[in-house]
Amino acid sequence: MSAVSKDAKRMTTHVLKRMKEKGEKISMLTAYDYSMARIIDEAGIDVILVGDSASNVMAGHETTLPITLDQMIYHASSVIRGIKKSLVVVDLPFGTYQGDSKMALKSAIRIMKESGAHAVKLEGGKKVIDSIKRILSAGVPVMGHLGLTPQSIYKFGTYTVRAKMEEEAQELLDDAKLLEKTGCFGVVLEKIPALLAAQVTESIGIPTIGIGAGNKTDGQVLVSHDLFGITKDFNPRFLRRYADLFNTMKEAVSHYIDDVKSQDFPNESEQY
Ligand code: KIV
């Protein structure tokens, strides 16, 4: 099997579809700034998500609700300057697309025009389908997001696993099919049972990207700050940390403080 993603010069939504068809897994990570985007892009990630999780990990808010469209555009344009190959998808923030498809189109166009991003993502299925249709009609690629949708946290009440019961599972499957039929190029499945995620993945022709949804989805996404171990107090079962940067960076800062206090830094070769 030749790797579709390695052959591609720049990742596109069409390449992602071909990867699904060939059974090649899709890698996706969040980034919110230029430097992080450069590292992640150079490492060869397929998709970068400028997630509204920036509200949590960059701004320190408890939920994703407070982040604004202007702030998302700022993050997205910083990311775009750092990448060469990845497809950059940007979250439409809370309050910029629900219940008003004209506003949704305006929000999506602002993101595309002002940041140079390649696609948008929004949360929900049937309830936001008019917004999705209108955005797609302007030629903007849309990614869906089902299961645990953090912008609805005050409706759910908790961040626990979604769609464990038959009725909600069926609704999610119907929503996934509707997103495909409407023209979305992919869908994030967040925190749902692995069996359901596998069923959705088999039932639709567009790629599914899982987070806390088992390993039968077409790809995986994580919040990069979680993967790097920069966040410390968030420890869901689905998270695998690939580094412990919180402690590595903290130790580096302690070392620097010691060197400044002891006048070891700067030394002769570090001055003019
Ligand atoms: O905002 C985000 O980081 C996301 C991922 C968790 C999928 O939507």
Side-chain angles (χ1 to χ4, degrees):
M1 183 176 71
S2 79
V4 180
S5 60
K6 291 230 163 62
D7 299 342
K9 282 204 179 65
R10 175 180 280 288
M11 185 51 63
T12 65
T13 57
H14 299 283
V15 174
L16 294 179
K17 180 110 191 297
R18 287 210 329 264
M19 287 170 74
K20 174 175 178 122
E21 284 156 10
K22 285 196 137 198
E24 186 184 336
K25 295 288 180 183
I26 297 164
S27 59
M28 173 159 145
L29 270 180
T30 63
Y32 318 102
D33 65 81
Y34 168 82
S35 302
M36 194 77 98
R38 264 197 81 179
I39 296 168
I40 293 172
D41 182 77
E42 264 195 45
I45 205 82
D46 297 312
V47 184
I48 290 185
L49 172 66
V50 183
D52 58 358
S53 49
S55 179
N56 309 109
V57 298
M58 299 300 286
H61 292 296
E62 208 175 302
T63 72
T64 57
L65 275 64
I67 200 159
T68 65
L69 189 58
D70 284 338
Q71 287 165 342
M72 289 303 295
I73 290 169
Y74 168 77
H75 287 299
S77 46
S78 308
V79 165
I80 283 290
R81 287 190 286 272
I83 62 112
K84 290 204 171 90
K85 194 183 151 193
S86 348
L87 182 87
V88 176
V89 181
V90 182
D91 266 336
L92 280 172
F94 176 69
T96 66
Y97 63 93
Q98 296 97 336
D100 182 345
S101 65
K102 284 191 182 155
M103 177 179 63
L105 177 59
K106 268 194 195 151
S107 308
I109 286 181
R110 276 203 62 202
I111 287 179
M112 301 297 282
K113 247 188 194 311
E114 295 177 39
S115 76
H118 312 129
V120 298
K121 172 167 89 57
L122 50 83
E123 297 182 3
K126 197 168 162 218
K127 292 191 183 86
V128 291
I129 213 67
D130 290 341
S131 294
I132 293 178
K133 278 185 188 155
R134 202 178 278 263
I135 296 170
L136 285 167
S137 75
V140 177
V142 178
M143 179 173 238
H145 184 154
L146 301 173
L148 176 66
T149 45
Q151 291 178 13
S152 307
I153 186 58
Y154 290 118
K155 186 178 134 203
F156 297 147
T158 72
Y159 285 101
T160 54
V161 182
R162 303 301 313 172
K164 277 163 99 176
M165 297 301 173
E166 179 61 33
E167 196 183 331
E168 196 184 338
Q170 187 57 52
E171 198 183 314
L172 189 144
L173 186 56
D174 293 344
D175 272 344
K177 289 179 181 168
L178 180 64
L179 292 178
E180 177 183 22
K181 192 171 146 226
T182 306
C184 289
F185 71 87
V187 56
V188 166
L189 300 176
E190 180 164 355
K191 229 172 170 187
I192 61 170
L195 272 179
L196 174 62
Q199 192 190 354
V200 172
T201 301
E202 275 172 24
S203 309
I204 60 177
I206 54 172
T208 58
I209 311 291
I211 173 163
N215 73 359
K216 296 288 186 287
T217 51
D218 299 306
Q220 298 292 330
V221 56
L222 282 176
V223 168
S224 53
H225 286 60
D226 296 337
L227 170 146
F228 290 131
I230 296 174
T231 49
K232 221 167 61 119
D233 306 321
F234 179 62
N235 288 301
R237 188 205 293 203
F238 68 76
L239 174 60
R240 187 180 295 179
R241 293 195 193 280
Y242 287 81
D244 179 17
L245 289 197
F246 186 97
N247 284 316
T248 306
M249 290 167 86
K250 193 171 142 190
E251 275 161 30
V253 174
S254 299
H255 203 157
Y256 166 73
I257 294 169
D258 289 347
D259 288 354
V260 169
K261 304 272 180 197
S262 67
Q263 295 183 45
D264 179 77
F265 176 79
N267 63 26
E268 270 184 36
S269 66
E270 290 162 331
Q271 67 189 21
Y272 301 97

